[in-house]
Every structure is written in structure tokens, then in C-alpha cells.
Amino acid sequence: MQFAFSLLTRSLRVSHDNLKARDAKLVATVDRWFAEKASHQTGTSVAAAPPPPPMFTPFRLRSVVLANRVVVSPMCQYSAEDGTPGDWHLVHLGSRAVGGAGLVMTEMTDVSREGRISPGCTGMYKPEHVTAWKRIVDFVHGSSAARIGMQLAHAGRKGSTRRLWEGIDEPLAEGNWPLISASSIPYFPYSQVPRAMDRGDMDGVRDDFVRAARMAEQAGFDLLELPLRPRLSAGVVPVAVDEPARRRVRRVDGQSVALPAGGLRRRPGGVARAKPISVRLSATDWKDGGLQPADAVEIAKALRVHGCDIVDVSAATRCPTRRPPTAASSRRRSATASATRPASRP
């Protein structure tokens, strides 16, 4: 039953409502089955007559129960002042929460001033940030049924650039700050060259993440998301190297900086164990020899062992010139392979 429903709808060309018009009995059976599973998983009651569509059933992560499975992903707004969110962020996140989403996520929020992408990025590194974010959290909790999570991050070699509308990924015209990353390879040829991290840098970034996590707890966030992303390597925070294909994996003091998943073993003091932790994972590089979906599955298994509650999957950004494969590009690769394949013997 589940397989048939998934097979029919996975292309997204046949929606839940469309399939219901074609086979109401199948959809009702699936909805009822899913609602029972959701009720058991969350320990809450779910309407049975009629049951809601699966997207609108509750979902539990540790002590946090989401009213539905609609999640507003992080969206950089480039509208903060020295990391401090303001009215724009209150309206941006608050309106999505009031609109009925089960979970709203903050934009990528940087753990230090030097870890910002641009001067307009939000942060969690000053006492004022806790107060400003708490204002938004309190509004979401007081005016909606939504929960709110914070994504913490560090821009690494992609930092010190202009706001989106001023020239995405372009270095600042003035006022650039120094960058650190897993190596001294710039993101683009015209990007600022970062300094390769040493053990002291790794410890410093780790401490920045720990401090920011504690501040997020003080602000009242329901969930914390950490990046396993191609931007920066650090010793304890679960982030990955910024070069594709793991060809530039370095070792610092004998410790690999490619996949420090063990960082999840230590939940920062002051962060409640009842609150869930999510990890943002880029699942493919779209590049031969780079990170592949099968690798991402193994990484997710390791993260689960080390305390990750859920994985938020995205794709690429390791290789700035790479784009998703298309049917045309797949045909070209197939034609090239056929042209170079030795003729079979009779």
C-alpha cells in the first residue's frame, strides 16, 4: 500500500488531491494508516474521521512535537546589523509561523563576527543577539502553534562578501575581514584567499559554536541545527571540509578534519537534552569523485550514532561551478561512454 502510494506520487505530477479524485479508497486507507503511525509516534491523538493528509499529521523529535510536517527552510535575509535581527526578521519568521507551518528555521546564523557571509548576516555572538532573537521566539510561541529552530554556522571561505543584491559571492569593496578554512583554496578564483586552519583555530571555532548553542538555549529556541557543510572544518562542531572529493582532507595534530561527527557526542552545557539537534547535510557534489548519495547515507548513519535526531538534506555548493545533472547531460555522458567502449567480440 505504502509502496503503491509512493510510486504514484513521487514524481509530484500526481498530487495527494489528484490521486484522491482518482482512487479515494486508496488515499483514505493510506491517510488512516499514516495518522495511526503519527499518533503512536507523537503520543497525541490524530483525527480519524476523516484523517488528515500525511503532511498535516504531527511529528515528534525528543520533547518537541510539531503540529504538522510543514517546515520553513533557512532563508538568508542579509538585513541584520552586526548580527542583530530586527523588525524585518520578526515579520519574516513570524508571518510564516502564523501562516501555519509546523516548524520555522532561522536563516544561517553565524557563531562569530568573522564567520559571517556578509555584513547583513545574523549572528549569535553578542549578548544583544540573545535579546533580539528572544523577541522573535516569544512572538512565534505566543502567536502560533509553530516551533522555531536556529541554524548555527560559519561561512568559512565563503565569508566577507557583499549582500545578495549587491553582488552575490563578490568580495566586499572595502572592510573585508580575514577568513579561515580547511585549506587556503579560495571559493572562486576572485574570492579572498582564506588562511588554512591550525589546531588553535579549530578549538576557537568549536568554542564559538558551543557559546552560540548556549545562547540559543537562553533565547528559547526549540531545536538546534548544525551544518555538515562544505564551508569550514572544525574539531568538535559537525562540519565538513570545503573541498570536493575529499582530496584535500588534512590532518591536524593527528585528527582528521573530514568528518568530525564525534562532535555530537558532547552536547554543550546548558543545552537541554530534551531538545532535538538537526544536522544539515549536503548529499552530493554533482561531481565525479566527489561526495555521492551513498556516502551521505553512511554519514547519516554515523551522525545518528552520535546523537543526531534528524538530517536536513540539501545538495552541492562544494563545487561552485557544478550544477545538477540534466537529462541532456546524462545523454551526453552515455553517448561518450558508448563511443569509448571497446567493441564486443562476436
Side-chain angles (χ1 to χ4, degrees):
M1 177 183 64
Q2 302 96 288
F3 174 78
F5 182 82
S6 177
L7 185 65
L8 289 167
T9 60
R10 65 184 301 176
S11 70
L12 304 183
R13 294 179 180 178
V14 179
S15 67
H16 181 276
D17 284 346
N18 187 273
L19 186 58
K20 187 175 181 179
R22 297 168 183 236
D23 192 336
K25 184 177 179 180
L26 171 64
V27 172
T29 302
V30 171
D31 287 352
R32 187 163 52 252
W33 172 84
F34 203 95
E36 291 173 357
K37 293 289 185 181
S39 179
H40 178 74
Q41 193 265 343
T42 60
T44 63
S45 60
V46 179
M55 180 180 288
F56 298 104
T57 59
F59 183 72
R60 176 183 290 275
L61 287 171
R62 297 200 183 215
S63 65
V64 176
V65 177
L66 305 180
N68 58 60
R69 297 159 192 253
V70 179
V71 179
V72 177
S73 293
M75 292 180 276
C76 288
Q77 301 296 297
Y78 305 104
S79 300
E81 294 293 334
D82 193 13
T84 304
D87 290 346
W88 176 275
H89 302 85
L90 174 66
V91 174
H92 167 64
L93 294 169
S95 62
R96 273 70 186 179
V98 172
L103 174 66
V104 293
M105 294 295 301
T106 70
E107 63 195 86
M108 169 184 165
T109 301
D110 301 299
V111 298
S112 65
R113 182 177 285 106
E114 297 75 17
R116 295 174 297 165
I117 295 177
S118 78
C121 291
T122 56
M124 190 61 107
Y125 51 84
K126 298 196 307 182
E128 301 93 305
H129 295 163
V130 176
T131 302
W133 279 118
K134 190 175 187 304
R135 174 189 176 217
I136 296 171
V137 171
D138 288 348
F139 177 86
V140 170
H141 287 164
S143 302
S144 76
R147 302 294 91 185
I148 181 169
M150 169 163 277
Q151 184 191 86
L152 295 176
H154 190 297
R157 65 176 182 161
K158 294 185 72 176
S160 193
T161 60
R162 304 177 190 182
R163 292 174 174 86
L164 176 67
W165 51 87
E166 297 170 345
I168 186 170
D169 291 326
E170 294 284 342
L172 293 171
E174 58 182 5
N176 286 281
W177 52 85
L179 305 179
I180 58 174
S181 191
S183 76
S184 57
I185 299 177
Y187 190 66
F188 286 109
Y190 54 80
S191 299
Q192 183 183 163
V193 177
R195 177 174 57 81
M197 298 172 71
D198 58 23
R199 181 75 257 173
D201 296 320
M202 294 173 70
D203 291 343
V205 173
R206 173 201 62 200
D207 294 343
D208 288 341
F209 269 86
V210 171
R211 181 192 64 241
R214 290 171 176 163
M215 294 170 75
E217 174 77 4
Q218 294 170 17
F221 282 95
D222 302 297
L223 175 147
L224 192 65
E225 182 164 278
L226 302 175
L228 184 57
R229 273 180 162 180
R231 286 182 174 155
L232 180 78
S233 283
V236 169
V237 295
V239 289
V241 295
D242 61 349
E243 280 78 43
R246 289 155 296 174
R247 55 186 170 78
R248 294 286 302 182
V249 173
R250 299 173 59 242
R251 298 186 73 82
V252 180
D253 292 348
Q255 295 188 11
S256 170
V257 298
L259 180 59
L264 283 172
R265 295 173 186 165
R266 286 205 304 142
R267 181 178 289 257
V271 177
R273 288 192 173 275
K275 291 190 176 180
I277 290 181
S278 168
V279 171
R280 185 72 174 264
L281 170 62
S282 184
T284 178
D285 291 331
W286 294 324
K287 178 179 176 64
D288 293 339
L291 190 69
Q292 301 297 323
D295 301 320
V297 171
E298 294 305 312
I299 292 171
K301 290 178 180 177
L303 291 170
R304 181 179 183 181
V305 169
H306 294 299
C308 173
D309 297 295
I310 194 167
V311 173
D312 179 7
V313 180
S314 60
T317 75
R318 290 176 181 263
C319 310
T321 59
R322 293 290 167 174
R323 294 294 181 268
T326 62
S329 64
S330 297
R331 286 194 295 269
R332 286 195 297 270
R333 287 197 300 272
S334 178
T336 301
S338 298
T340 58
R341 187 180 300 120
S344 59
R345 294 180 179 179

